[in-house]
Amino acid sequence: MISSEQGSIFDADSVSSAVKAMPRVQPSAPRQLSPTALLVAAQDFKPAYSPIVLAGTVRLIEAALIVAVGLAIYFWYVVPGNGFAWHYIAAIAGIAGLSMLAFQTADIYQVQAFRGHEKQYMRLASAWSVVFLTVIGISFFAKAGDQFSRVWLGAFYVLGLIILIAFRRALFLMVRHWTRQGRLDRRTVVVGADKSGEALLQSLASQRDSDLNVIGVFDDRNDGRSLPVCNGVPNLGVIDDIVELARKTRVDLVVFSLPIAAEGRILHMLKKLWVLPVDIRLSAHSNRLRFRPRSYSYIGNVPVIDVFDRPIADWDVVMKWLFDKIVGTLALICAAPVMLAVALAVKLDSKGPIFFKQRRYGFNNELIEIYKFRSIYTEQTDADATKQVSKNDRRVTRVGRFIRKTSLDELPQLINVVFFGNLSLVGPRPHAINAKAAEHLYDEAVDGYFARHRVKPGITGWAQINGWRGETDSQEKIQRRVEHDLFYIENWSLLLDIIILLRTPLAVFHMNNAY
């Protein structure tokens, strides 16, 4: 909870509920960005690398290098003369563990350190030396010094230090390359093109070794109160333009510079922005505000309130990617005989291609192509799903009726998961671009519909195993489906994905509304 001297209250923990409880904001037509915004959107950019994942990966690599050096010297020098001894293995593992703690204490697991500051090498050498002094001290007081070869220990220290420094030098070259590509920057937009926004931009620009790349400012007011340029950063438009820009280029972070007293304006803008897969922060740099410690975090030295976080980030992204690739590959191998039989049946049943490609909305509302077994007569194919398949639909082939009922027509989407990466095994089901519920496009029928695109779509999902699959002939059906999708996004875990996968076959067996 945060309060100003005027008594305005802003509870960060309830922002999400407040946003969703607000009156519906009608979806706007696709906007034409300003020429300046179009130039920003046209800039070449690469997918971002998570600093947290990068630091964790460096830890794992350095631990592996330390173990490899220790074992190499041990098997080359010690084993031929003295035979195998387990206490050397324990010592190597201990040195690797102590090194990770020492390097963490030396603060060299930061992206700023990876960028090649000379003192990182001195800190690395100092921490490495402390580890070996500690090991020598422990062996001395434990009276175990005669159980270890001095040549092994000395060679381990020298060769290990050389390899670690060489790795850090190679890491510096890679990080410099990634920095030039913008992979380690957080592409940021600031909301508030006024004096407050200008002050915030000055504070952010003064941060040393900041990873922020502010690409523009926006405002909810399109009048003289909105500055055309804030601290050298161009004004790219109004709030609706943020959504359009985020669909055309990478936006990682949105920071509001508005005062807490402007709760109504802030909530109205959040109602439009919460559907994006970005982090949203509310700047709290005003000295008139009083904070509880747990209510805010920092961007450099600038205090901010964490309003929304992207649903799946950092190591969660890695774990979900590995889960999709490993389990998806195994599933594709196991399903290959069934897919071959279905392909043969489709080909023999009616003329036309075996597979059917359809454009659907994917992550961040991007258009993707997904694969299915063709279940409709070729001449009656409706790629945009203008008319949904209904019960006893004459467009569906004999084989198509069976494979749609059993979801066997979805099996080719494992190809999307394993080879193209635009689908996940579990996630909100991707919908066709013109899919309707009761004659209304989905985004018109359901408030917050596009929020389901904050994560990658999936072959199966929480809505499907809870019975919300198949024809959506009423707004209530698509509403319930979206509610389940949003529950999945807000409560995601790898365990939840596993549960959904295990329950999917049973859910398909009991389904009676898929035609």
Side-chain angles (χ1 to χ4, degrees):
M1 185 81 70
I2 300 175
S3 61
S4 68
E5 293 176 356
Q6 289 76 21
S8 175
I9 296 175
F10 198 99
D11 187 349
D13 293 333
S14 64
V15 171
S16 178
S17 298
V19 169
K20 296 172 187 177
M22 285 186 63
R24 174 179 170 81
V25 175
Q26 292 293 336
S28 58
R31 297 181 58 85
Q32 180 62 44
L33 296 175
S34 68
T36 305
L38 287 174
L39 286 176
V40 171
Q43 293 174 354
D44 185 33
F45 69 94
K46 304 291 184 182
Y49 290 152
S50 165
I52 294 175
V53 174
L54 177 59
T57 303
V58 171
R59 285 188 182 92
L60 293 175
I61 293 174
E62 290 187 336
L65 287 174
I66 291 169
V67 170
V69 170
L71 289 176
I73 299 172
Y74 171 63
F75 282 108
W76 172 73
Y77 180 79
V78 178
V79 172
N82 301 324
F84 184 83
W86 281 105
H87 61 271
Y88 275 95
I89 307 300
I92 293 170
I95 290 172
L98 286 174
S99 298
M100 296 301 99
L101 292 175
F103 295 166
Q104 182 67 42
T105 303
D107 199 26
I108 57 174
Y109 283 129
Q110 304 289 334
V111 174
Q112 291 84 355
F114 302 157
R115 288 194 168 106
H117 299 302
E118 295 301 326
K119 61 183 180 181
Q120 79 153 319
Y121 300 109
M122 294 301 298
R123 289 182 177 181
L124 174 67
S126 299
W128 184 245
S129 300
V130 167
V131 168
F132 274 80
L133 288 174
T134 302
V135 170
I136 291 171
I138 292 173
S139 63
F140 174 78
F141 286 107
K143 297 182 179 180
D146 58 342
Q147 297 183 30
F148 293 94
S149 165
R150 294 179 178 84
V151 173
W152 171 78
L153 195 63
F156 194 177
Y157 172 79
V158 174
L159 186 57
L161 182 59
I162 292 172
I163 288 179
L164 287 172
I165 291 177
F167 169 71
R168 285 281 171 152
R169 182 61 184 175
L171 178 64
F172 158 71
L173 296 175
M174 290 188 291
V175 168
R176 184 173 66 177
H177 177 66
W178 293 334
T179 301
R180 289 172 178 171
Q181 291 183 324
R183 290 183 180 271
L184 298 177
D185 292 338
R186 282 192 290 175
R187 291 167 63 86
T188 304
V189 299
V190 171
V191 176
D194 52 17
K195 295 299 182 182
S196 177
E198 202 161 42
L200 172 62
L201 287 168
Q202 289 173 355
S203 297
L204 295 176
S206 66
Q207 305 295 327
R208 185 175 180 272
D209 293 326
S210 173
D211 64 345
L212 295 188
N213 176 16
V214 181
I215 60 177
V217 294
F218 294 82
D219 206 296
D220 59 325
R221 301 164 300 187
N222 193 16
D223 54 31
R225 294 172 294 177
S226 179
L227 300 175
V229 178
C230 285
N231 199 46
V233 180
N235 185 334
L236 300 183
V238 294
I239 299 304
D240 288 328
D241 294 324
I242 297 180
V243 178
E244 190 65 25
L245 181 70
R247 300 261 162 82
K248 295 181 180 295
T249 188
R250 198 187 91 217
V251 176
D252 303 309
L253 175 66
V254 177
V255 183
F256 282 79
S257 69
L258 305 183
I260 299 297
E263 292 176 6
R265 289 172 60 195
I266 292 171
L267 290 174
H268 182 75
M269 288 184 279
L270 288 175
K271 183 66 176 178
K272 298 181 178 181
L273 298 182
W274 77 287
V275 301
L276 296 175
V278 300
D279 295 327
I280 300 180
R281 303 289 182 260
L282 177 62
S283 172
H285 62 290
S286 171
N287 292 329
R288 294 180 300 171
L289 300 175
R290 300 188 300 273
F291 304 97
R292 292 179 181 176
R294 66 180 181 178
S295 297
Y296 59 87
S297 57
Y298 285 92
I299 300 176
N301 295 323
V302 177
V304 294
I305 305 168
D306 298 344
V307 181
F308 286 113
D309 290 319
R310 62 182 63 205
I312 303 176
D314 301 323
W315 282 108
D316 289 340
V317 175
V318 176
M319 295 303 296
K320 191 167 178 61
W321 183 87
L322 288 173
F323 181 76
D324 285 341
K325 295 302 180 184
I326 295 172
V327 178
T329 299
L330 293 174
L332 186 59
I333 293 171
C334 294
V338 177
M339 292 175 66
L340 184 60
V342 173
L344 183 62
V346 170
K347 192 65 178 176
L348 294 176
D349 183 53
S350 62
K351 65 179 181 179
I354 294 172
F355 294 110
F356 169 62
K357 287 194 301 183
Q358 188 177 56
R359 291 193 308 162
R360 296 192 177 188
Y361 286 117
F363 175 70
N364 197 24
N365 218 39
E366 295 177 352
L367 284 175
I368 62 174
E369 278 192 336
I370 68 165
Y371 288 88
K372 299 179 69 174
F373 283 121
R374 181 177 57 83
S375 58
I376 295 177
Y377 290 106
T378 303
E379 61 276 9
Q380 300 184 60
T381 297
D382 181 11
D384 293 334
T386 306
K387 179 183 177 182
Q388 286 196 3
V389 175
S390 58
K391 190 173 183 179
N392 299 321
D393 197 319
R394 294 188 176 184
R395 296 175 299 165
V396 180
T397 65
R398 291 174 300 173
V399 170
R401 196 165 289 113
F402 174 76
I403 63 176
R404 292 179 70 91
K405 178 68 176 178
T406 56
S407 291
L408 292 175
D409 63 322
E410 311 281 0
L411 286 179
Q413 289 170 34
L414 290 169
I415 298 172
N416 288 88
V417 173
V418 175
F419 295 104
F420 300 112
N422 51 17
L423 279 186
S424 179
L425 287 174
V426 182
R429 285 291 296 147
H431 294 148
I433 57 178
N434 287 325
K436 294 181 179 180
E439 300 304 318
H440 294 282
L441 293 172
Y442 284 169
D443 63 299
E444 297 173 349
V446 181
D447 188 22
Y449 170 79
F450 286 123
R452 66 196 300 277
H453 297 155
R454 287 182 293 161
V455 300
K456 194 181 296 185
I459 296 178
T460 184
W462 184 246
Q464 283 63 44
I465 68 167
N466 282 281
W468 300 104
R469 168 181 174 266
E471 185 183 13
T472 52
D473 53 0
S474 68
Q475 288 189 223
E476 193 265 344
K477 286 184 177 180
I478 188 60
Q479 177 74 44
R480 294 289 289 160
R481 184 183 292 186
V482 171
E483 288 174 1
H484 281 76
D485 289 338
L486 296 183
F487 174 87
Y488 167 80
I489 292 171
E490 293 168 3
N491 296 276
W492 177 88
S493 69
L494 196 59
L495 178 60
L496 181 58
D497 275 5
I498 295 172
I499 292 172
I500 291 172
L501 276 183
L502 293 177
R503 287 180 56 183
T504 294
L506 188 62
V508 170
F509 180 77
H510 287 95
M511 197 70 63
N512 56 11
N513 60 341
Y515 311 121

